Amino acid sequence: MSPDTPDPERVADGPGAPGAAARPPAGAEDAPTGDTGSSPTGTEAHPPARSPGESEPPGWPGGLPVPAGTPVTAPGADPLAGYPGVVGEVPGVPAAARRAGGRAAAVALGVALLLTVLGAPLGLLWALVAPGTPVRMTAEGAVYATPQPEQPIAADGWFSLLAFGFGVLAAITLWVVLRRRRGPAGLVAGTLGGLGAAVVAWQVGRRIGLGTFHRLLDTAPPGTDFTKPADLRAGGIDWYGPLPVPHGNLLLAAFGVAVTYTLLAGWSRWPSLRPEPQWDGGWAPGGPGISSEPGDQPAR
């Protein structure tokens, strides 16, 4: 070999050879390491051995990212503690989702029934503020005291204002009180409750004084003046077979709920419509029982 030709073995062993920094120095293989069962950082290199009767530790769902250093090898540890966003991947969650859906349906039904019951005081208020129509008994029967009375129009106007205002207040109340239930279910429940409240208010308000009015129609002598209770002329219920269909100003309460609730949803600053925690720009806190430190114990 020529003196100018480099020796391959010397080049491979030289300080500038590739991988020279990765090779331990001579004699390093024989140097004692202290504890052969531990890694240089003092942590265990392998998970502890399980006894024959010990169950298999829970694993992380397939396809989900595992945070670095999260201990999930201990029996009984919950690898998803503190990770609510991935709970849907765990077996058994459909049952919990069904229970949550049942609770949401129960809350929506309760809201609709509560608004319907509140139609009774609304009807009392309408009967109090709406004027009655003057009536005079004649020999041919009861007639209006004036040829074109304005009281029936005023009764319709008062009912329209009260029903629409009731719907607006109901929508705002639902939005504020049921903050965690905002969404289509709240809109549907409020709309149905507003419709039921309007029907109840109409029936309650029109029956106040109605018995006395009918008795006077049958027994009052000619020339007697009395008052007809307030009733609706621009609204009512039509029957299509067994199905009742409200119309006219009976729909104003439901309309007020639907419009107000939709506007509140459109102006909401949260995409989910529900209040969300504000991020301060720092690291998000870890979930309870989950640690990313190598030496920490897993949750039990």
Side-chain angles (χ1 to χ4, degrees), residues 42-112:
T43 58
E44 294 183 356
H46 301 284
R50 295 187 299 273
S51 59
E54 193 173 355
S55 61
E56 188 73 17
W60 200 271
L64 295 179
V66 181
T70 303
V72 294
T73 58
D78 183 8
L80 294 180
Y83 294 87
V86 297
V87 173
E89 301 291 338
V90 183
V93 171
R98 286 194 298 269
R99 289 194 296 270
R103 288 193 297 269
V107 171
L109 181 60
V111 167

Side-chain angles (χ1 to χ4, degrees), residues 21-263:
R23 277 200 306 273
E29 297 83 1
D30 301 333
T33 58
D35 187 2
T36 58
S38 302
S39 62
T41 59
T43 58
E44 294 183 356
H46 301 284
R50 295 187 299 273
S51 59
E54 193 173 355
S55 61
E56 188 73 17
W60 200 271
L64 295 179
V66 181
T70 303
V72 294
T73 58
D78 183 8
L80 294 180
Y83 294 87
V86 297
V87 173
E89 301 291 338
V90 183
V93 171
R98 286 194 298 269
R99 289 194 296 270
R103 288 193 297 269
V107 171
L109 181 60
V111 167
L113 292 178
L114 177 60
L115 292 179
T116 302
V117 172
L118 290 178
L122 180 65
L124 295 176
L125 179 61
W126 174 54
L128 180 64
V129 299
T133 305
V135 176
R136 174 172 297 177
M137 179 63 69
T138 64
E140 291 80 11
V143 296
Y144 288 126
T146 57
Q148 295 181 346
E150 299 178 354
Q151 288 80 5
I153 301 176
D156 280 331
W158 275 110
F159 187 90
S160 300
L161 291 176
L162 293 175
F164 185 78
F166 176 85
V168 172
L169 293 178
I172 296 175
T173 303
L174 292 179
W175 184 266
V176 174
V177 175
L178 300 180
R179 304 175 66 185
R180 300 297 178 182
R181 302 287 182 180
R182 292 174 181 173
L187 175 61
V188 173
T191 303
L192 293 179
L195 184 61
V199 174
V200 171
W202 170 46
Q203 291 298 319
V204 169
R206 67 184 293 269
R207 294 179 185 276
I208 296 178
L210 189 61
T212 302
F213 174 71
H214 286 163
R215 187 181 70 253
L216 290 175
L217 286 179
D218 297 334
T219 60
T224 304
D225 293 331
F226 51 96
T227 302
K228 179 184 178 182
D231 202 350
L232 291 182
R233 302 176 63 180
I237 295 180
D238 293 333
W239 290 86
Y240 294 90
L243 183 64
V245 179
H247 64 88
N249 47 13
L250 286 181
L251 304 177
L252 285 177
F255 179 75
V257 172
V259 170
T260 306
Y261 201 93
T262 303
L263 290 177

